[in-house]
Amino acid sequence: MRYIACLVLCFLPVSGFSPTNTTTKTPFYRPPKVHTPSGLESGGPVVVNAASYEPGVSPGTLATVFGQNLSDVSGVVVAAGNPLPRQLAGVSVLVNGIPAPIFSVAYANGEDQISFQVPFEVATGPNAAEVQVLLHNFQVADVFTDSFTEDPGIFMYNGNYAIAVLASNYSLISPDNPALPGDVIILYATGLGPVTVDVPDGYAAPSDPLAYTADPSQVFIDGEACKVYFSGLAPGFVGLYQINLRVPDDAPIGNLDIQIQTPYASSGLAKLPVD
């Protein structure tokens, strides 16, 4: 099981702060990719987008390291509190030497899974991010990976169902609780790029002011563009983005494809039940 999806569903909102961040980065975007092997399949640790599992990171957003012998955890340990810790269950992660806030450390299906927030200060570019994993202050992994300005990924559960809720009651959209044409829904993602408010690493995004994405995000359901009301960091969460959108009035019935597009990058497809 991929534990970051559970974190999206289960984390309680906490308050955020807004300091100044003056880091300048060179824009860099993901070329088309195919299947990404896990740590076991690749023969070594891999660092991926926490939603899409494509290799690489994006500053300020959520990533996961998969590999073996990265922790001594036998189940799952989830962080609590605000801000998130820089060490959890004896594990710490450095990205270009910057301590990264950690969401969880887990062991499942024969490999370790460490989910963390990529520090906002990290540079972008090919192989621009060095990710080091330390266990009890001893290095157990050192991976260089691409760092993307934007790298949209939709969080999913039960295979490929998008993690999205009805805006009217915040209930999870599922085959047993589908969205209806015309419903306003909230879609959860990561990797939507820079935002209009500076938020410190490990702290939750604020609700006043809202942290809007610098580039507009568009959502397509069954290939049709949706009306987007908000695209930005989800208030009360760390490194998590949300898009508030309206399901097209003429959307057909079924498990429909849903995809995020920014001016420079696109997510993979997920499924959204509509009835």
Side-chain angles (χ1 to χ4, degrees):
M1 179 181 180
R2 305 304 196 188
Y3 285 100
I4 192 68
C6 296
L7 300 180
V8 173
L9 289 169
C10 300
F11 268 157
L12 295 176
V14 288
S15 60
F17 288 64
S18 304
T20 300
N21 186 334
T22 59
T23 302
T24 300
K25 303 183 181 72
T26 301
F28 181 64
Y29 304 99
R30 178 186 296 281
K33 293 281 187 180
V34 292
H35 169 70
T36 300
S38 71
L40 286 179
E41 293 171 315
S42 69
V46 294
V47 184
V48 299
N49 179 302
S52 69
Y53 304 120
E54 292 287 354
V57 299
S58 183
T61 58
L62 306 178
T64 300
V65 182
F66 291 98
Q68 293 180 287
N69 302 315
L70 304 181
S71 81
D72 47 22
V73 169
S74 59
V76 57
V77 178
V78 179
N82 177 27
L84 292 177
R86 267 59 172 183
Q87 186 176 87
L88 183 67
V91 173
S92 54
V93 176
L94 303 178
V95 186
N96 291 355
I98 305 168
I102 300 179
F103 281 93
S104 68
V105 178
Y107 181 80
N109 301 319
E111 63 183 347
D112 294 296
Q113 305 173 19
I114 303 167
S115 296
F116 63 97
Q117 182 193 24
V118 181
F120 282 99
E121 305 93 318
V122 170
T124 54
N127 282 325
E130 181 184 12
V131 180
Q132 298 167 288
V133 179
L134 307 180
L135 178 59
H136 304 301
N137 297 320
F138 290 95
Q139 182 175 295
V140 291
D142 188 4
V143 179
F144 284 86
T145 191
D146 294 342
S147 178
F148 303 103
T149 304
E150 297 170 3
D151 189 27
I154 298 173
F155 283 103
M156 293 180 283
Y157 73 101
N158 287 354
N160 60 353
Y161 287 111
I163 294 183
V165 300
L166 297 172
S168 58
N169 59 14
Y170 296 97
S171 62
L172 180 68
I173 297 170
S174 68
D176 296 327
N177 184 43
L180 301 177
D183 276 348
V184 176
I185 68 173
I186 301 171
L187 176 67
Y188 291 101
T190 196
L192 300 188
V195 293
T196 57
V197 174
D198 291 322
V199 182
D201 300 336
Y203 283 87
S207 59
D208 185 16
L210 291 169
Y212 289 84
T213 53
D215 288 328
S217 298
Q218 182 59 277
V219 178
F220 292 85
I221 295 178
D222 198 42
E224 183 174 354
C226 303
K227 181 175 179 59
V228 171
Y229 299 101
F230 171 74
S231 171
L233 289 175
F237 292 87
V238 178
L240 179 68
Y241 292 76
Q242 72 178 58
I243 302 178
N244 297 26
L245 63 116
R246 179 185 175 93
V247 179
D249 292 336
D250 59 353
I253 293 174
N255 292 326
L256 306 183
D257 287 339
I258 184 168
Q259 183 181 42
I260 299 170
Q261 292 185 8
T262 73
Y264 306 102
S266 300
S267 75
L269 297 175
K271 293 294 184 181
L272 182 78
V274 176
D275 194 2

